[in-house]
Amino acid sequence: MRISFTVNGNPVVVEAEPLARLLDVLRIDLGLHGVKEGCGEGECGACAVLLNGRIVNSCVTPVAAAADGEILTIEGFCETDRYAVIEQAFSDSGGVQCGFCTPGFVMATEALLRENSKPSEDEIRRGLSGNLCRCTGYNMIVQAVQAASETLNGQ
Ligand code: FES
Ligand code: FES
């Protein structure tokens, strides 16, 4: 089946089974390797992308769910000023170690800060609860999100 959507602002048409994983279409068909596969079961957030502005785990999202929608992956987001702020905050806070989880955390951070520009620590922990990191122990990531929020709010 032919499925049309927009990825990082570019219209695309893919030929895929409707239940094919959005993750595979993004990585294999479209070459977007910043979208990572960790658990493959919807538990770790490594494959997170924004679909119509909402965070989704692309490993458990059928490509048909993206039909006529807008997808933002780390490859598109990294062209933006907001990415630069979030990336700098992660780097300054030590929130990036092996880096495998980072694209998913950055996308989840963007989704969170779009909805709630000044989240409390609890709200950050809840907002990022769908993302797992084996390296950082999370506190540095929470600090990164707090710092990014402050910068984006001009504090
Ligand atoms: S790879 Fe998709 S949630 Fe882990
Ligand atoms: S930095 Fe290694 S899994 Fe998060």
Side-chain angles (χ1 to χ4, degrees):
M1 152 181 199
R2 284 164 69 82
I3 300 171
S4 313
F5 49 93
T6 302
V7 180
N8 300 328
N10 301 312
V12 298
V13 181
V14 297
E15 185 67 44
E17 292 298 322
L19 292 180
R21 301 188 309 170
L22 179 60
L23 172 66
D24 294 327
V25 171
L26 293 174
R27 283 181 60 87
I28 299 170
D29 297 13
L30 301 174
L32 297 167
H33 295 138
V35 187
K36 303 296 184 197
E37 175 158 16
C39 65
E41 297 178 349
E43 299 292 336
C44 77
C47 63
V49 299
L50 299 193
L51 172 57
N52 298 326
R54 306 198 60 175
I55 196 88
V56 297
N57 286 328
S58 60
C59 70
V60 288
T61 302
V63 65
D68 301 321
E70 282 183 23
I71 292 174
L72 181 65
T73 74
I74 195 74
E75 287 88 350
F77 185 49
C78 77
E79 305 287 325
T80 66
D81 293 345
R82 288 178 66 86
Y83 170 84
V85 169
I86 294 171
E87 197 273 334
Q88 187 68 48
F90 269 71
S91 152
D92 291 347
S93 306
V96 181
Q97 291 185 19
C98 81
F100 184 79
C101 69
T102 308
F105 267 102
V106 167
M107 298 312 295
T109 298
E110 170 63 359
L112 172 66
L113 294 180
R114 278 188 192 186
E115 231 169 65
N116 179 357
S117 68
K118 293 185 184 176
S120 66
E121 180 178 339
D122 275 0
E123 288 168 335
I124 293 170
R125 289 187 188 276
R126 238 178 294 130
L128 301 185
S129 61
N131 295 71
L132 301 181
C133 174
R134 288 167 301 185
C135 306
T136 64
Y138 300 101
N139 288 340
M140 291 179 273
I141 290 176
V142 172
Q143 286 164 15
V145 179
Q146 285 168 328
S149 160
E150 284 167 15
T151 304
L152 290 168
N153 284 298
Q155 291 167 4

